[in-house]
């Protein structure tokens, strides 16, 4: 999913105007002048997280990585929720991979995206993760119906719409209140909640679910051990976990996952298999898929389904 720029006002009209003019200058290729103008804006509003974030982007574009990392660090420190993902941007510059993104960043991203989510994703990017995941579930359990399923990061209900016919009771959870509102309007789910997916799983009675599903959600997590362990606890024996990830490329990473320039995570198939097996799952399917297109390039992924032993 492409990132939507989130503008957070400084509270100083002159600083805001310089920010917007700097954006216009950068669009015309005058990035040096744009960075200088943002620095002037920050002279007026030194505690402005969005201004420091924009300066970091401009410095990065100019190849000044150390100065860019410093600007992103300031932005992250000034916004405890890190709604712009400044800590992730700094991590990319430092070639680091955090185990998870700031929850505030993911929430803000999807709150901003809720109104146009399906149009942009399905129509513009040829989004296919829900269809591929449903097919993988069918391979693992041909014709199987589920008594109670949980759709993690349910968004507007794209995966839920595909699961509905196979599930007696379908529930969903998402960080974004606006996404939950869009899903509720469809009448697909029996229950919906706003919250963190791991916390939601841990709040449920052990063995109370038959299916845990996550379509294009784990790309916003690095270390999958906590969510896989929480799903194992919530699933009854024989219950299934089904999810997609972006596939980690040929360059290996000892952790098995990596933060990408898109600020999403990619995971290796070996890492998925190891995490699932260690947590007590029998892996049924790990299938290469095409998740969507991005600027005309196909984004490769993996659909995985595993059964709780």
């Amino acid at each position: 999913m492409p990132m939507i720029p989130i503008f957070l006002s400084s509270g100083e009209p002159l600083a805001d105007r310089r920010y917007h003019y700097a954006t216009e200058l950068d669009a015309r290729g005058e990035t040096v002048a744009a960075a200088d103008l943002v620095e002037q804006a920050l002279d007026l509003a030194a505690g402005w997280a969005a201004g420091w974030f924009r300066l970091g982007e401009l410095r990065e574009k100019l190849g000044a990585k150390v100065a860019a990392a410093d600007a992103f660090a300031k932005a992250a420190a000034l916004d405890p929720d890190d709604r712009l993902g400044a800590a992730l941007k700094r991590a990319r510059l430092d070639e680091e991979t955090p185990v998870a993104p700031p929850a505030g960043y993911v929430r803000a991203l999807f709150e901003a995206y809720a109104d146009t989510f399906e149009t942009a994703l399905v129509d513009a990017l040829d989004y296919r993760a829900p269809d591929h995941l449903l097919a993988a579930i069918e391979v693992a359990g041909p014709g199987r119906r589920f008594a109670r399923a949980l759709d993690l990061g349910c968004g507007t209900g794209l995966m839920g719409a595909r699961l509905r016919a196979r599930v007696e009771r379908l529930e969903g959870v998402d960080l974004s209140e606006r996404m939950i509102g869009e899903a509720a309007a469809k009448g697909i789910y029996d229950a919906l909640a706003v919250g963190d997916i791991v916390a939601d799983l841990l709040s449920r009675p052990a063995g109370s679910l038959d299916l845990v599903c996550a379509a294009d959600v784990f790309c916003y997590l690095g270390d999958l051990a906590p969510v896989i362990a929480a799903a194992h606890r919530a699933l009854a024996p024989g219950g299934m976990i089904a999810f997609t990830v972006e596939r980690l490329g040929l360059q290996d990473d000892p952790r098995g996952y990596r933060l990408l320039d898109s600020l999403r995570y990619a995971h290796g198939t070996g890492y998925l298999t190891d995490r699932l097996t260690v947590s007590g799952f029998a892996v049924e399917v790990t299938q290469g898929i095409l998740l969507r297109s991005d600027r005309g390039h196909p984004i490769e992924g993996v659909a995985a389904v595993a059964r709780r032993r």
Side-chain angles (χ1 to χ4, degrees):
M1 187 182 75
M3 291 177 287
I4 292 181
I6 302 169
F7 176 70
L8 305 174
S9 174
S10 67
E12 293 283 346
L14 183 56
D16 287 0
R17 284 199 295 271
R18 288 181 176 175
Y19 177 104
H20 290 303
Y21 185 39
T23 299
E24 294 176 8
L25 287 173
D26 182 47
R28 297 203 300 260
E30 300 177 49
T31 305
V32 172
D36 182 64
L37 202 56
V38 173
E39 289 178 359
Q40 293 177 36
L42 288 166
D43 287 338
L44 300 171
W48 185 21
W52 285 107
F53 185 86
R54 187 70 181 114
L55 182 59
E57 290 183 313
L58 294 169
R59 286 175 172 175
E60 181 181 6
K61 192 172 182 178
L62 291 169
K65 289 189 176 182
V66 174
D70 180 64
F72 287 132
K74 286 185 171 67
L78 289 166
D79 180 9
D81 291 333
D82 196 7
R83 289 165 288 176
L84 297 168
L88 294 180
K89 294 285 286 186
R90 184 186 182 189
R92 281 295 298 148
L93 287 172
D94 293 340
E95 298 184 358
E96 298 174 352
T97 295
V99 297
Y105 162 71
V106 179
R107 183 183 299 109
L109 178 65
F110 283 94
E111 287 283 293
Y113 206 51
D115 291 342
T116 58
F117 179 77
E118 292 193 16
T119 300
L121 206 55
V122 178
D123 297 341
L125 301 181
D126 193 22
Y127 178 59
R128 306 175 189 176
D131 291 325
H132 286 310
L133 194 53
L134 184 65
I137 292 170
E138 175 63 20
V139 170
R144 179 173 175 177
R145 292 185 58 80
F146 300 91
R148 189 170 183 180
L150 177 62
D151 187 6
L152 300 178
C154 63
T156 60
L158 290 173
M159 190 67 218
R162 289 156 175 81
L163 290 174
R164 180 69 269 185
R166 303 182 67 145
V167 176
E168 297 300 323
R169 179 174 176 82
L170 178 62
E171 301 182 27
V173 58
D174 199 283
L175 274 176
S176 167
E177 186 174 355
R178 293 186 67 195
M179 286 287 194
I180 288 292
E182 293 287 332
K186 292 182 176 179
I188 296 167
Y189 295 90
D190 298 296
L192 288 162
V194 177
D196 174 77
I197 60 175
V198 174
D200 187 275
L201 285 165
L202 292 175
S203 72
R204 295 173 179 272
S208 60
L209 297 173
D210 297 292
L211 175 65
V212 171
C213 200
D216 208 28
V217 175
F218 290 174
C219 55
Y220 294 102
L221 294 173
D223 182 11
L224 299 184
V227 69
I228 289 174
H232 182 272
R233 174 194 168 278
L235 283 165
M240 289 184 174
I241 181 173
F243 59 89
T244 64
V245 296
E246 292 190 20
R247 188 204 298 268
L248 189 62
L250 295 177
Q251 292 181 341
D252 194 18
D253 191 298
R255 288 160 298 196
Y257 59 89
R258 179 183 295 125
L259 180 66
L260 305 176
D261 289 338
S262 63
L263 303 190
R264 295 161 64 101
Y265 289 84
H267 297 81
T269 304
Y271 171 82
L272 302 179
T273 301
D274 290 345
R275 285 294 91 212
L276 289 165
T277 302
V278 166
S279 295
F281 286 96
V283 179
E284 305 282 348
V285 177
T286 52
Q287 177 180 331
I289 59 174
L290 290 179
L291 288 168
R292 66 186 185 285
S293 297
D294 186 3
R295 299 177 182 87
H297 299 290
I299 302 299
E300 295 186 353
V302 177
V305 183
R307 176 177 44 80
R308 187 190 190 282
R309 297 197 198 97

